[in-house]
Amino acid sequence: MSTAITTRHQAAVMQAQAKTDDQLVALWLHDKSAETQSAYADDLARFQQFAGGKPLASVTLGDLQSYADSLSSLSANSKRRHLASVKSLLAFGQRIGYLPFNVGAAHKLPAAKDTLAERILSESQVHAMIALTGDQRDRVLLQVLYASAARVSELCALKWRDVQPNQKGGQVTLFGKRNKTRVVVLSEQTYKALLSLRGSAGMNDPVFLSHKGGHLDQSQVWRIVRQAAKRAGIAGNVSPHWLRHSHASHAIDRNAPITLVRDTLGHESLDTTSRYLHARPGESSSLYLSI
């Protein structure tokens, strides 16, 4: 078989993976978490509405540039996220042969201010959130969320079979983003607090029960975190992810090896974890000035 025929055959096979925009979107979203799927779907719907329902194969660079201009009222970070979603879909469409080329590749994402430092709580704030929470389930949830650096989806999915003892106290097995599994060791204090919720629950029962008896919903965890922050007098739209950021920053402040923090958080790149070094620096040339 000639090279040209082979190339055409490969293209035909790739093209068959999706025949409509809806099928392409379904393939694009398939392996993403429910939370990410929802956010990406909303971003795409906004773009499609702006483009007047135009098929993706007909989208031009001009359409994308006009859409970017229409987002001028949003913050730089929000604008970047909306555009990144569309660019991701267009790149995926070309990668599987559905789109002849990727017009998004020619459009650069806008620079955005790194606001990570704003989403890192102090240790005293975290301790206040936990201490001022009266409900036992909610108090333990906050403690484990911070101690394990779990994503909210990982925390909600926990079953008792994922909780095991070890020589340090205990450990939890988390399964989440990009279908990755990681084991996080908990202190004896946090492990005992977690076990206090078990009662007669079986191995396959949820660790954090909703009032209806099933797994706690992610929206409920957001509510628990926000109420805890309010009780502690913390301003801002505090989310569960702030406790993950705080875990990383506090561990580094206490001289935890950055590679260990990377593995605990489940980051693929050390560059991602290194952001916490710069978010709360301990030194600055300003300290050498006379004022």
Side-chain angles (χ1 to χ4, degrees):
M1 185 180 292
S2 70
T3 301
I5 294 175
T6 300
T7 301
R8 286 198 299 272
H9 174 71
Q10 290 173 338
V13 171
M14 294 175 74
Q15 176 74 24
Q17 294 185 47
K19 295 182 179 180
T20 67
D21 285 359
D22 287 343
Q23 289 179 1
L24 174 67
V25 172
L27 290 172
W28 174 58
L29 294 176
H30 183 266
D31 292 328
K32 296 175 173 58
S33 68
E35 186 177 19
T36 300
Q37 286 185 16
S38 177
Y40 276 16
D42 287 346
D43 291 345
L44 180 58
R46 181 170 185 157
F47 172 70
Q48 289 176 318
Q49 182 179 15
F50 176 85
K54 179 186 290 189
L56 289 172
S58 301
V59 169
T60 66
L61 176 59
D63 291 330
L64 199 56
Q65 291 172 336
S66 296
Y67 178 61
D69 292 340
S70 76
L71 300 175
S72 59
S73 62
L74 300 179
S75 68
N77 285 309
S78 294
K79 182 177 180 179
R80 183 182 176 88
R81 196 206 75 205
H82 283 295
L83 290 170
S85 299
V86 178
K87 280 172 60 71
S88 173
L89 174 61
L90 294 174
F92 177 76
Q94 184 197 33
R95 195 158 59 245
I96 69 168
Y98 179 77
L99 298 176
F101 52 88
N102 173 19
V103 298
H107 185 81
K108 292 185 178 180
L109 291 175
K113 178 183 177 182
D114 189 345
T115 59
L116 177 60
E118 300 173 16
R119 304 190 301 279
I120 297 175
L121 303 167
S122 68
E123 288 190 352
S124 61
Q125 286 176 319
V126 173
H127 293 160
M129 286 175 63
I130 295 170
L132 295 175
T133 298
D135 182 87
Q136 182 186 16
R137 181 204 64 183
D138 294 355
R139 185 172 61 254
V140 174
L141 181 148
L142 293 169
Q143 186 173 346
V144 173
L145 195 59
Y146 171 64
S148 67
R151 299 178 178 92
V152 64
S153 57
E154 296 167 342
L155 187 85
C156 289
L158 278 176
K159 297 180 179 180
W160 282 108
R161 66 170 54 257
D162 301 317
V163 180
Q164 299 172 331
N166 71 13
Q167 64 273 21
K168 299 290 185 180
Q171 64 185 45
V172 289
T173 301
L174 303 173
F175 179 76
K177 193 173 183 179
R178 288 183 289 273
N179 295 323
K180 295 290 184 65
T181 299
R182 68 186 190 281
V183 178
V184 177
V185 177
L186 302 177
S187 68
E188 184 176 1
Q189 177 184 357
T190 299
Y191 182 61
K192 285 182 177 178
L194 185 57
L195 291 182
S196 71
L197 298 180
R198 181 160 189 177
S200 60
M203 293 287 283
N204 290 316
D205 290 333
V207 171
F208 295 104
L209 281 169
S210 71
H211 293 306
K212 294 181 179 179
H215 284 277
L216 200 62
D217 185 80
Q218 293 185 34
S219 63
Q220 293 175 293
V221 178
W222 277 70
R223 175 185 56 77
I224 291 167
V225 170
R226 284 175 178 167
Q227 289 179 345
K230 186 176 180 179
R231 281 191 294 269
I234 302 170
N237 190 23
V238 181
S239 77
H241 219 71
W242 287 36
L243 291 173
R244 177 175 162 86
H245 292 321
S246 301
H247 171 116
S249 181
H250 300 167
I252 290 173
D253 287 346
R254 289 177 172 270
N255 299 316
I258 193 168
T259 52
L260 179 60
V261 178
R262 175 200 61 193
D263 293 343
T264 300
L265 270 69
H267 288 158
E268 289 197 342
S269 168
L270 194 60
D271 290 341
T272 304
T273 316
S274 296
R275 292 178 61 209
Y276 295 99
L277 289 170
H278 306 297
R280 291 285 181 94
E283 289 289 340
S284 166
S285 58
S286 67
L287 300 179
Y288 291 82
L289 303 179
S290 60
I291 57 172

